[in-house]
Amino acid sequence: MKYNPAFKRFPILFHGEKVISESMVIIEYIEDTWPQNPLLPIDPLDRSIARFWVKFAGDKVWGSCIGAMYYTSGEKQEKAIKETIEMLKIIEEQAFIGDQENNFFGGEKIGIVDLTFGIIPHWLEIIEDIIGVTLLEPNLFPNLLNWVQNFKEEQIIKENLPNYDEMFVFLKNQREMILSSS
């Protein structure tokens, strides 16, 4: 909260003396700071498609779907689960840029869309365990599950994923606190 007083939440990137907050602002900062390792595709059409999926993720993945599923219970949660499954189907069927046999959304390297959808491989798994559902079924989401495996196997991702058990406890406590106050 000290480093993100406007929204009082994470993520926060510390780069030297600089503090950058909010997921997409951090990703844009990385893109601008290290242009030799671009996160956006070179082709203008592919860049616009990537930007579309970044916006889609911001609007749907974090907000109205996974967030609603996590922060609600009862009928509202059931509705959010259905919406999350529909959102995941859209990603499964339409989000892969170019050849669906690529390891990542934009090709053979992690890009901005992969980082934007980075909530799916780790956070969604924890949220599924907390609320007791399984959404990423192999028969429904083979492309997404293949991507999850590729994403989590990348060395830079492995080294920086938060500890599952610590995140589970943190998110479960956060959820209980929010649900008890509503």
Side-chain angles (χ1 to χ4, degrees):
M1 288 188 220
K2 173 182 172 184
Y3 294 105
N4 188 356
F7 292 106
K8 298 181 175 132
R9 62 182 183 214
F10 57 90
I12 298 169
L13 171 69
F14 297 95
H15 182 222
E17 298 293 317
K18 299 172 187 146
V19 178
I20 300 95
S21 60
E22 296 303 313
S23 298
M24 294 318 305
V25 174
I26 291 169
I27 288 175
E28 289 173 12
Y29 176 82
I30 291 168
E31 177 79 5
D32 293 341
T33 303
W34 293 282
Q36 69 277 16
N37 297 310
L39 295 173
L40 282 164
I42 304 286
D43 179 75
L45 177 61
D46 288 344
R47 288 172 78 87
S48 67
I49 292 168
R51 286 185 177 113
F52 169 84
W53 288 111
V54 166
K55 174 138 178 48
F56 178 88
D59 293 348
K60 294 281 188 187
V61 177
W62 298 319
S64 66
C65 292
I66 293 174
M69 181 179 73
Y70 172 67
Y71 288 116
T72 59
S73 60
E75 288 180 19
K76 287 182 181 179
Q77 185 181 57
E78 288 300 317
K79 180 181 179 210
I81 289 170
K82 288 177 185 168
E83 289 174 357
T84 299
I85 291 170
E86 290 305 311
M87 177 268 307
L88 291 170
K89 285 180 184 175
I90 291 169
I91 295 169
E92 171 73 19
E93 295 167 2
Q94 299 179 29
F96 289 89
I97 299 170
D99 187 349
Q100 289 193 347
E101 293 183 19
N102 286 329
N103 287 334
F104 302 105
F105 283 99
E108 290 302 312
K109 291 183 357 183
I110 287 179
I112 195 166
V113 177
D114 301 288
L115 294 175
T116 304
F117 286 142
I119 189 175
I120 293 170
H122 197 59
W123 290 70
L124 182 58
E125 177 184 354
I126 295 169
I127 290 169
E128 286 176 323
D129 290 346
I130 290 171
I131 66 172
V133 300
T134 301
L135 301 177
L136 287 178
E137 297 285 349
N139 60 324
L140 293 176
F141 303 107
N143 292 328
L144 264 175
L145 287 169
N146 184 52
W147 170 77
V148 165
Q149 181 179 353
N150 292 331
F151 187 78
K152 288 176 109 176
E153 286 177 2
E154 281 292 304
Q155 193 61 34
I156 191 76
I157 301 300
K158 276 190 211 179
E159 292 171 0
N160 291 287
L161 277 177
N163 177 278
Y164 176 91
D165 294 329
E166 291 173 8
M167 288 302 299
F168 182 91
V169 170
F170 172 79
L171 290 173
K172 186 172 184 186
N173 290 340
Q174 182 187 41
R175 181 174 191 271
E176 289 170 358
M177 184 176 62
I178 289 168
L179 289 176
S180 69
S181 67
S182 57

